[in-house]
Amino acid sequence: MKPKKNRIFCRDCNKYKTLFESESKADNFIKFNHEEIEACSGHAPSRSYYCRSCVGWHVTSKKEYDDRLPSLTDKVLDAYKATLPMKLLSGDRALLRRADEIMADIAKLIKEKNPEQCVSLFQEVYSIFQRIPDTDDIIKYKQSLFLRYRKLITKIDRGMLDTFIIPVSAMQSLAAESKLKELKMQYDMGNYEVANELLQDVRNAVANVVDEQYKKELNKRIKIIGTKNNLRMGIEAIEQMQNPDKNILFEEIEENFIKIDLSYVYGEYHECVKLIQYVKRIYDVVLTIEGSEARKKKIEDRLQKFVESVSIALKALWAL
């Protein structure tokens, strides 16, 4: 039969294709549906292939393909990579270099016992920090400069520091924001162990933020990233986590419900059992968090239906 589920528009071949999670699922589809599709349409898929554009597997009736030929996605990626050297010479990086040079002058003035001449220079550096976003290509450079900036601040007399237009609260907020960006970057790169080690440093930085409303927002972001990171580290990490983000757990459950549904359709009942067990353990964690009782009940009902359906399918399989 022709696939009806999981159809997406593939930009590489410019038409709708069925997306499979793995090569084995794509090959199984060909194995069990080849004859029926060929009888209906006169041609049928004969092989599977990985699509970089869709990040998954498709099937095709074309028997030969030269893998050395670049796909449309390859061409787009190559064109983007060619722009990277230009991006590194951006105005933001030039501004950070300017901040670096100014701080060298500040250090020299402090050493020469002329701290009063540093006031306007500190203001200029702080202004640069405020103007530059924490993009992935410069965040480490910016963070290292800001740490240096804070060390220089501590060498100035406290009474003189109070005359600056640079509030300490703003410094604390910037430090917390920089650490949070570093945490997210490590998570996005798949460095889950590193991100886990950074979590406490980020919480400590946020604890120093004076603005309570802003602190609450930062803690919420930490909670979301921490929950996502622990999910990637394994179910045990989530079970041991204190106060995970409930909505992220709900999203994880819904995504796995889709996987269970697909596995059931393709007759992969043992995979269904594994996924149901995983979802049940996440659901047990959700039950420890207050609120969303109606949504919890819906999840429980869906889980029960999956258990019943898979149990019937497995019994029928064993009876053969």
Side-chain angles (χ1 to χ4, degrees):
M1 59 177 289
K2 199 161 187 178
K4 295 179 181 177
K5 289 191 175 183
N6 221 22
R7 301 275 288 174
I8 67 167
F9 187 79
C10 176
R11 297 190 180 278
D12 256 359
C13 58
N14 205 32
K15 63 181 179 181
Y16 282 93
K17 300 277 287 185
T18 301
L19 182 67
F20 297 90
E21 287 184 336
S22 64
E23 184 178 16
S24 61
K25 288 184 178 180
D27 290 340
N28 281 338
F29 177 82
I30 295 171
K31 180 180 178 181
F32 293 111
N33 296 279
H34 179 89
E35 291 182 5
E36 186 178 346
I37 294 174
E38 189 171 40
C40 293
S41 62
H43 62 276
S46 58
R47 66 179 181 87
S48 61
Y49 67 95
Y50 183 76
C51 176
R52 289 187 69 187
S53 177
C54 300
V55 195
W57 294 80
H58 297 316
V59 295
T60 181
S61 58
K62 294 179 181 178
K63 294 189 178 353
E64 295 182 3
Y65 178 75
D66 189 350
D67 291 330
R68 294 172 297 177
L69 294 175
S71 66
L72 180 61
T73 301
D74 291 326
K75 291 176 181 177
V76 171
L77 288 172
D78 288 342
Y80 173 73
K81 288 175 183 176
T83 68
L84 289 180
M86 290 185 285
K87 288 179 180 291
L88 292 176
L89 297 175
S90 66
D92 290 342
R93 185 168 285 272
L95 280 173
L96 285 178
R97 285 178 182 165
R98 171 62 184 153
D100 199 346
E101 292 168 359
I102 294 171
M103 284 193 286
D105 293 337
I106 291 173
K108 185 178 179 182
L109 288 169
I110 292 174
K111 190 175 181 180
E112 294 172 352
K113 310 290 186 188
N114 293 316
E116 65 282 351
Q117 296 181 27
C118 298
V119 176
S120 62
L121 296 178
F122 270 119
Q123 292 171 350
E124 187 177 350
V125 172
Y126 183 73
S127 174
I128 290 173
F129 286 144
Q130 290 289 85
R131 288 154 57 190
I132 297 177
D134 291 332
T135 53
D136 289 348
D137 59 330
I138 59 173
I139 185 170
K140 288 189 175 180
Y141 187 23
K142 179 179 176 182
Q143 192 170 15
S144 66
L145 289 179
F146 186 70
L147 289 173
R148 187 173 158 205
Y149 173 86
R150 287 201 300 174
K151 288 179 182 178
L152 288 171
I153 284 279
T154 61
K155 296 180 181 180
I156 301 293
D157 180 72
R158 176 62 64 176
M160 185 175 293
L161 180 65
D162 292 339
T163 66
F164 293 169
I165 308 174
I166 309 171
V168 174
S169 59
M171 290 169 52
Q172 293 165 338
S173 298
L174 184 56
E177 192 72 52
S178 293
K179 284 187 175 292
L180 190 54
K181 291 286 185 182
E182 172 69 10
L183 172 66
K184 187 176 184 306
M185 183 177 72
Q186 294 296 339
Y187 169 76
D188 290 340
M189 291 170 62
N191 299 329
Y192 306 127
E193 293 288 348
V194 176
N196 192 53
E197 292 172 3
L198 283 172
L199 272 170
Q200 193 54 53
D201 284 345
V202 179
R203 291 191 186 103
N204 292 340
V206 171
N208 293 326
V209 173
V210 176
D211 186 332
E212 290 300 322
Q213 188 62 34
Y214 185 48
K215 182 189 289 187
K216 186 177 179 182
E217 178 193 331
L218 291 174
N219 278 321
K220 184 178 179 181
R221 287 161 62 189
I222 292 172
K223 187 176 177 181
I224 289 171
I225 297 174
T227 304
K228 287 181 176 180
N229 193 70
N230 281 348
L231 280 169
R232 301 288 80 81
M233 290 180 68
I235 185 63
E236 291 81 8
I238 279 293
E239 289 173 333
Q240 294 169 12
M241 184 180 181
Q242 294 184 357
N243 193 27
D245 187 86
K246 181 172 55 182
N247 290 324
I248 297 299
L249 296 182
F250 279 141
E251 289 175 11
E252 181 74 4
I253 288 172
E254 292 297 334
E255 287 176 10
N256 279 275
F257 274 155
I258 294 172
K259 291 179 182 179
I260 294 170
D261 201 16
L262 283 170
S263 296
Y264 183 81
V265 168
Y266 290 115
E268 297 179 351
Y269 305 124
H270 292 290
E271 182 67 18
C272 288
V273 173
K274 291 178 184 177
L275 291 168
I276 288 170
Q277 291 172 340
Y278 174 69
V279 170
K280 178 62 170 64
R281 290 176 72 176
I282 296 178
Y283 177 63
D284 287 341
V285 175
V286 169
L287 289 177
T288 65
I289 308 172
E290 293 183 0
S292 305
E293 300 307 319
R295 193 169 182 183
K296 290 176 184 175
K297 185 66 171 65
K298 286 182 180 179
I299 290 172
E300 185 178 345
D301 291 342
R302 286 187 70 184
L303 259 178
Q304 187 59 38
K305 287 179 181 177
F306 276 128
V307 169
E308 291 171 359
S309 299
V310 173
S311 297
I312 292 170
L314 285 172
K315 285 178 184 177
L317 213 65
W318 294 331
L320 294 177

